[in-house]
Amino acid sequence: MRKSMIWGAAGLAAVLLPTMAHAASPAFDVERATRAYLDLLQGPARAKSDAYFEGGYWLTLWGTLASVVTYLIMLATGMAARFRDITERLIKRRWLQPAIFAVPFTIAGALIILPWTIYTGFFRERQYGLMNQGFGAWLGEQAIGVGVGIVVNMILFAVMFAVIRRFPRRWWLLGAAAMTGFVLIAALVAPLFIMPLFNKYTEMPAGPLRDRIVAVAAANHIPADHIYVSDASKQSKRISANVSGLGPTIRITLNDNLLNRTGPDEVVAVMGHEMGHYVLNHVQKAILAFAVIFLVVFFLIARIAPALVARYPRWGVRDVADPAAAAIFMLLASVAGLILTPVQNTLVRVQESEADAFGLDAAREPDGFAKVAMRLSEYRKIEPGPAEEALFFDHPSGATRVRMSMQWKKDHVPGATMIKPDVKFDQ
């Protein structure tokens, strides 16, 4: 972690000042200050960033196709039906059969799509210089992920097929409610039981930087008894922080890349942003928004799935209450996810923009936030077109964030002046 003593009494006093607007600095040119940052990313580094992110547009499509092919293989070969038959021979309790079916179903699905997972999750990340792990360590974490997926699907399948059997006409409505409840529980337990399977979480060490973050939190009435640091550098060079959990398990976490690769002003700016998610109840609001999405998707699946069962009897799926129908549900959900990608991106991007605004008011570090936005351009296209940003970005673009930061600086910092930003990028 970088250590600095620049956060003295003056710095703390600035944090504790109320976030009131000052008269705008007329001499400060927002567009010129913004361009000074954006022009830092030039030549090969910019081409690399654009290529990585734009390639992700196609990966969204190809990833959906890979999922569709995976489930079609499981249906067309009768694999899903055979898993069901084996389960029924082994387990006589009908309510338990979907849970047991989920075990081979999840493993088979992961193996079929494994070549695509290896390319997108390992080789492509290594190609663009973002991967720190060796293949063995990466593959081990994928295996852990499959294990988690088995447990999750066992619970999910048991609940969903019980709902379908009990309410054959309105199962989509109760199924969407059950899925929302499932997400609530997952959000509650993930920080305690799932995230530690992949990373080690430790308390941020005491020192001037932690004191500054605690001061920002206190000024905004945010509990900051615990600030966690994850060892994400063992996996990737990406800088990140997040708010996770729900209710008593909500926590703010930053990764060690953020501490090691940025300055104190950038860390405080990012933490102000993450505190915005907490204060604005974004986790709860996101779950409510996705509850509506679940309702729409489940309604469509309830209309389309029976038609597919009737049209393709060779798949061996008896009806929608048959656990083998999970392959049909997952196939349709994959297609729905692709279609709804712009909607989901917009929901997340709006929250991120709100947290950006909160973080600028809370941390009062516009240049720190602008520098972080530039660092994120290592893997996010810095200047997309308006339609491109609306369709494909689940966070505001770097250009949007830098411009917001410079406008905040003009509006809130008396006598604001341009700085000469210094952010280095890999070629």
Side-chain angles (χ1 to χ4, degrees):
M1 181 181 70
R2 296 171 184 250
K3 295 184 179 179
S4 173
M5 297 301 294
I6 64 173
W7 305 117
L12 291 175
V15 173
L16 297 174
L17 286 174
T19 54
M20 55 185 291
H22 296 277
S25 302
F28 186 79
D29 188 328
V30 171
E31 289 304 316
R32 184 164 165 254
T34 299
R35 181 48 53 187
Y37 275 102
L38 300 183
D39 286 347
L40 293 173
L41 187 65
Q42 295 290 343
R46 183 159 186 152
K48 179 180 176 182
S49 168
D50 288 354
Y52 176 80
F53 198 83
E54 289 170 359
Y57 304 162
W58 289 104
L59 289 185
T60 302
L61 173 61
W62 303 138
T64 300
L65 291 177
S67 295
V68 168
V69 168
T70 295
Y71 297 120
L72 282 176
I73 289 173
M74 298 178 77
L75 289 165
T77 63
M79 188 185 301
R82 285 197 297 274
F83 289 156
R84 176 208 59 217
D85 293 341
I86 293 171
T87 300
E88 288 179 346
R89 287 198 299 268
L90 294 175
I91 305 296
K92 300 307 178 184
R93 293 183 176 87
R94 192 178 182 191
W95 67 269
L96 187 57
Q97 288 170 355
I100 304 306
F101 168 88
V103 178
F105 178 84
T106 305
I107 294 173
L111 290 175
I112 293 170
I113 206 171
L114 183 60
W116 175 255
T117 305
I118 291 174
Y119 168 68
T120 57
F122 182 79
F123 285 110
R124 188 170 187 267
E125 294 296 296
R126 177 63 63 90
Q127 175 188 354
Y128 283 93
L130 298 171
M131 173 65 67
N132 289 341
Q133 278 183 313
F135 183 73
W138 176 86
L139 193 61
E141 290 192 354
Q142 297 306 302
I144 294 173
V146 172
V148 172
I150 290 172
V151 174
V152 170
N153 281 346
M154 288 179 71
I155 299 170
L156 180 61
F157 284 16
V159 172
M160 293 305 301
F161 283 99
V163 170
I164 293 172
R165 290 194 306 270
R166 181 67 179 83
F167 305 98
R169 295 179 61 84
R170 294 288 181 266
W171 69 264
W172 60 272
L173 182 61
L174 295 172
M179 179 63 79
T180 302
F182 189 81
V183 171
L184 283 167
I185 295 171
L188 182 67
V189 303
L192 301 179
F193 300 107
I194 297 177
M195 292 163 58
L197 296 175
F198 300 93
N199 291 99
K200 182 180 179 181
Y201 291 81
T202 56
E203 283 281 353
M204 183 179 181
L209 182 53
R210 180 180 177 122
D211 292 344
R212 176 80 195 279
I213 294 170
V214 170
V216 173
N220 291 278
H221 311 291
I222 301 168
D225 297 333
H226 301 286
I227 301 174
Y228 293 97
V229 179
S230 69
D231 60 341
S233 61
K234 72 176 185 178
Q235 294 141 337
S236 169
K237 64 182 288 186
R238 298 170 188 256
I239 61 175
S240 181
N242 65 78
V243 173
S244 60
L246 191 67
T249 66
I250 281 185
R251 60 179 65 185
I252 296 175
T253 304
L254 61 157
N255 71 19
D256 54 354
N257 288 324
L258 180 63
L259 289 178
N260 296 330
R261 298 187 60 208
T262 69
D265 58 336
E266 296 170 75
V267 175
V268 173
V270 171
M271 296 308 287
H273 166 95
E274 297 304 329
M275 291 175 193
H277 287 306
Y278 174 89
V279 171
L280 299 172
N281 297 312
H282 279 166
V283 174
Q284 296 90 326
K285 290 177 181 177
I287 291 174
L288 288 175
F290 278 94
V292 176
I293 292 176
F294 291 150
L295 197 64
V296 173
V297 171
F298 273 62
F299 175 79
L300 294 175
I301 289 175
R303 294 297 179 270
I304 299 172
L308 291 176
V309 170
R311 182 174 178 80
Y312 298 99
R314 64 182 181 274
W315 288 351
V317 180
R318 298 166 185 158
D319 52 42
V320 294
D322 180 354
I328 298 176
F329 297 162
M330 300 296 278
L331 186 156
L332 294 174
S334 298
V335 174
L338 174 66
I339 296 171
L340 292 172
T341 294
V343 176
Q344 297 177 64
N345 285 347
T346 299
L347 289 172
V348 176
R349 191 175 62 252
V350 167
Q351 288 196 343
E352 293 296 331
S353 183
E354 291 173 352
D356 288 349
F358 181 95
L360 285 166
D361 285 337
R364 306 184 68 81
E365 289 288 357
D367 286 294
F369 193 73
K371 284 186 281 186
V372 169
M374 293 305 303
R375 294 189 196 278
L376 292 174
S377 67
E378 287 179 336
Y379 46 89
R380 292 179 185 166
K381 187 174 182 179
I382 191 70
E383 286 190 273
E388 186 180 11
E389 186 166 356
L391 289 172
F392 298 110
F393 280 66
D394 61 359
H395 286 63
S397 68
T400 297
R401 285 176 146 173
V402 172
R403 188 168 287 107
M404 174 188 281
S405 300
M406 295 302 97
Q407 186 64 55
W408 189 95
K409 185 175 181 178
K410 177 182 177 70
D411 294 341
H412 294 83
V413 178
T417 58
M418 281 185 55
I419 69 166
K420 184 177 181 181
D422 182 21
V423 180
K424 305 296 183 183
F425 300 97
D426 294 337
Q427 299 299 308

